[in-house]
Amino acid sequence: MTAAFSFRPARPEDLDALVAVSYTHLRAHETKVDLEQRCFDGDRLSRRSFRHWIRQAHSGLIVAHGPGGEDGDGKKVEGALAGYALVILQRGTRMARLYSIAADPAWRGKGLGEQLMNAAERYAHREKRLYLRLEVRRDNDAAIRLYERLGYKLFAETPDYYEDHQDALRFQKRLHYKPENPARLDIPWVRQTTEFTCGPACLLMARHALDGHAPADTDELLIWREATTIFMTAGHGGCHPLGLALAARRRGLSATVYCNQSRPLFLDSVRDENKKRVIETVHRHFEDEARRQAVPVHYQELTAGRLDQALQDGEVAIVLISTWRLDGRKAPHWVVVSGADRECFYIHDPDPADDQVPLDCQHVPISRDRFEQMTRYGQSRLRTAVIVGRG
């Protein structure tokens, strides 16, 4: 029988009860009645974590209370805390993640799990997120049945995810309309291994998708050595679009460059005049080599229509973005466009943040207007991309 629970955002005064619910839920997990993959020893949410998430702007910690009553003055009083759901909003994207969910076993069979999920979805929907994603233990049959009944679809698996080496299943649900014939490429995700090799990691994704070449250990650095601007901002140089295109051609792929500027790139990120001269020299070298190799270079805006066409044609678009809307830093960063529908572009980001798992960076939905803003970098509003295809 379903009970009437009430839901609201968590407040600091809920901390004591939240920790109690968490520990109750841990004991439930140990007796095989766990409802959430994160409630086991070593992975439980601490008091400090709850306090952090209550204060965090890009998250929703929703608490559920059982049926209440009235005090001596006839005022309504909340019932005991029955559970919570924690939803994290991925900054700059249209995606939310169900980070944790817990239901007191005393309310089992009363519909609390489903009502918590509905509350989480309502919160994500209000925050204009298109997708809600979650992880669940492969052996958590009850939770999996609930998610599937609510319309969640399995989209990925991660082996050896939990401390006891159990696999994780990744589910997601689109909270708005279903896309009509969405264009999506089967692009294996590659993680960059340094702070400056996002471009090579993206080219390795494209190559793997187009010709099946699995990345070797040295490929990432070798591509960077071929394509680097040498200097950029305060650290190592990133990759020039012409350099990436030439590296793609050397590996048997076709490559077309779009850039809204013909002058040397990234100069506004470097103050040292000697470094600027090096960047200018490398730029001229890439231009000369691109002419010799007959690499198509279009000094014009890359339109959303061209990106859509690339996806339809089975090409891979490697696009430069500013990370400002993702992490608050104004850094140039290469990503791969993995799919599109009428509202969003989807990206593979090779560089997970410290609080992300790799799957948080795959097929990340970004609204088309937000993507338009993200793909302009620096004071010069640089917009550039490399469209890679089979040779």
Side-chain angles (χ1 to χ4, degrees), residues 131 174 177 179-180 182-183 308 339-346 368:
Y131 285 96
R174 191 175 177 99
Y177 65 86
E180 299 175 0
D308 288 327
D341 56 34
R342 65 181 181 179
E343 187 166 344
C344 288
F345 285 109
Y346 299 79
R368 285 176 175 259

Side-chain angles (χ1 to χ4, degrees), residues 229-240 266 269-270 279 332 377:
T229 59
I230 300 181
F231 295 114
M232 188 186 294
T233 60
H236 294 288
C239 285
H240 195 290
F266 308 119
S269 69
V270 176
I279 294 174
Y377 170 72

